[in-house]
Amino acid sequence: MPTDLLGREYETFPAPGPLQQHGPARVIAMCNQKGGVGKTTSSINLAGALSQYGRRVLIVDLDPQGAATVGLGINANVVDNTIYTALFTPRMDVHEVIRHTEFENLDIIPANIDLSAAEVQLVTEVGREQILAGVLRQIRYEYDVIIIDCQPSLGLLTVNALTAADGVIIPVAAEFFALRGVALLMQSIEKVQSRINPGLEVYGVLVTMYTRTLHCEEVLQRIYEAFREKVFHTVISRSIKLPDATVAAAPITIYAPGHKTSKEYREVARELVARGVVA
Ligand SMILES: Nc1ncnc2c1ncn2[C@@H]1O[C@H](COP(=O)(O)OP(=O)(O)OP(=O)(O)O)[C@@H](O)[C@H]1O
Ligand SMILES: [Mg+2]
C-alpha cells in the first residue's frame, strides 16, 4: 500500500473505465478567495485528465480575468457570448454560450472582462444567488462533470457557484499563509449550506505548489490539522511546466502527458472517481 506525503496509507486509485452512459453531471466549485493558489490551473488540468478518461467535462469560467478561457485556447476578447450573457439573459439557451475546445470531451463557457460588472448587477437581481444554478440546470444531463473556476473573492458570483455546486474543491498552496482566510471561506460555505444549498459538500482540499522542503512539510501538516481526511492524498508539486502549459493553452495532461504534474492531476482525477465524487 502506498503512503502519501502525510504518511497516510491508502489504496491505489485504479484508472477509471469508460462510462456506459453520460450525466447527470457533478458540479464542482473550485474555490478559494485567496489569489494565485491554483484554482484555474487545477480546473484546467483536472478537466483535462477527466476528459481523457472519457468523461464529458464542462468548465465554467466565473472569473472576469478569463484565465481558464485563455488557458484553453479561446480568445476571450473576441467571444460575444460568455457566462455573463447567460447569467443576465433570462430564458437564454445556454448552448449558445458553450464553446467546444480543441480537446475531446472538453467544453467551456468562457468569461471575459464583461463579467466584472456582474457583481454589482447581481445585487438587484431577483433570485440573485441562484442564477448560475438555473443556467447549469439546462445542461446538467449532457456532462459528467462541470467545474466552476471561481474568482478570488467571496462575492455574489462565488455564492452563485456555491449555490450551483454539489461540492467544493479548495486548492491551497503549500506556502506560509496557506490557511489565511480559509475560516472565512468555510463560513461562506456553511451559510450557503444552511440557507440555500443544504446538499453542498466539501469534496476536499487540494494542496498545490508543493516542494520537498521542511517548510512545505510543516505547511502540509498544518493543512492536515485543519482539514484532516478532507486533504486529498494526491498533492500537486510546484513545477515550471504548468505556466508553460498555460502558454501552450492546453491542459498539461495533454500538452505533456508524461510529466510528473500530469501524473499528479491524473491521480487527483482517479481519486475523485474512487471517492465517488465523479462517475
Ligand atoms: N503547481 C504549480 N507549480 C508552479 N506554478 C503553478 C502551479 N500551479 C499554478 N501555478 C502558477 O501560479 C499562478 C497562479 O495559478 P492559478 O492562476 O491557477 O491560481 P488561481 O488561484 O486561479 O489565481 P486567481 O486567484 O488569480 O484566479 C499561475 O501563473 C500558474 O501558472
Ligand atoms: Mg484563477
Side-chain angles (χ1 to χ4, degrees):
M1 228 187 243
T3 47
D4 67 15
L5 288 167
L6 284 157
R8 297 176 295 174
E9 287 194 333
Y10 65 102
E11 303 270 349
T12 47
F13 310 118
L19 288 176
Q20 302 307 321
Q21 56 185 49
H22 294 280
R26 272 295 154 80
V27 182
I28 302 174
M30 198 65 77
C31 192
N32 187 340
Q33 83 277 23
K34 194 165 161 25
V37 297
K39 293 181 288 294
T40 301
T41 303
S42 299
S43 297
I44 291 175
N45 295 306
L46 192 54
L50 286 166
S51 69
Q52 286 176 293
Y53 284 131
R55 273 58 187 167
R56 290 190 184 150
V57 187
L58 175 72
I59 293 188
V60 179
D61 191 347
L62 205 61
D63 184 344
Q65 300 301 314
T69 302
V70 176
L72 285 171
I74 289 162
N75 185 342
N77 296 318
V78 301
V79 289
D80 301 326
N81 284 340
T82 63
I83 187 64
Y84 176 82
T85 333
L87 289 172
F88 293 99
T89 314
R91 291 187 299 279
M92 182 180 187
D93 179 358
V94 187
H95 296 95
E96 288 178 39
V97 301
I98 295 177
R99 298 282 301 250
H100 302 300
T101 67
E102 62 179 281
F103 313 107
E104 202 183 345
N105 295 326
L106 184 48
D107 292 350
I108 184 166
I109 300 183
N112 61 25
I113 198 70
D114 292 349
L115 190 62
S116 57
E119 206 69 54
V120 171
Q121 276 177 250
L122 279 171
V123 174
T124 54
E125 283 288 324
V126 176
R128 60 189 187 178
E129 289 94 353
Q130 320 206 1
I131 299 173
L132 180 63
V135 167
L136 298 186
R137 211 172 289 132
Q138 286 186 40
I139 45 174
R140 201 163 182 161
Y141 284 86
E142 294 162 38
Y143 294 94
D144 300 307
V145 195
I146 298 176
I147 299 175
I148 307 169
D149 181 24
C150 295
Q151 65 176 143
S153 111
L154 290 174
L156 269 171
L157 278 174
T158 298
V159 171
N160 263 271
L162 295 176
T163 303
D166 297 299
V168 189
I169 292 178
I170 307 172
V172 171
E175 61 190 26
F176 191 67
F177 288 117
L179 292 172
R180 180 181 266 195
V182 156
L184 212 56
L185 171 59
M186 297 313 287
Q187 277 173 25
S188 289
I189 291 172
E190 280 160 23
K191 281 183 194 168
V192 172
Q193 281 168 333
S194 70
R195 295 175 191 168
I196 316 178
N197 182 9
L200 181 67
E201 291 183 52
V202 175
Y203 287 142
V205 171
L206 179 62
V207 178
T208 65
M209 305 190 200
Y210 187 86
T211 46
R212 288 191 174 270
T213 59
L214 190 58
H215 175 67
C216 275
E217 273 174 39
E218 282 172 7
V219 172
L220 184 59
Q221 197 59 45
R222 289 281 150 65
I223 297 171
Y224 177 68
E225 282 158 20
F227 288 100
R228 297 282 156 181
E229 292 314 310
K230 290 286 182 198
V231 180
F232 289 126
H233 290 295
T234 316
V235 166
I236 307 298
S237 305
R238 184 178 284 280
S239 163
I240 185 65
K241 203 77 181 175
L242 277 170
D244 282 358
T246 308
V247 175
I252 193 169
T253 56
I254 294 170
Y255 166 74
H259 192 267
K260 182 177 183 222
T261 317
S262 297
K263 291 183 187 139
E264 291 167 350
Y265 273 110
R266 276 199 297 276
E267 192 72 9
V268 179
R270 292 177 183 209
E271 186 165 358
L272 288 176
V273 175
R275 285 183 184 227
V277 169
V278 174

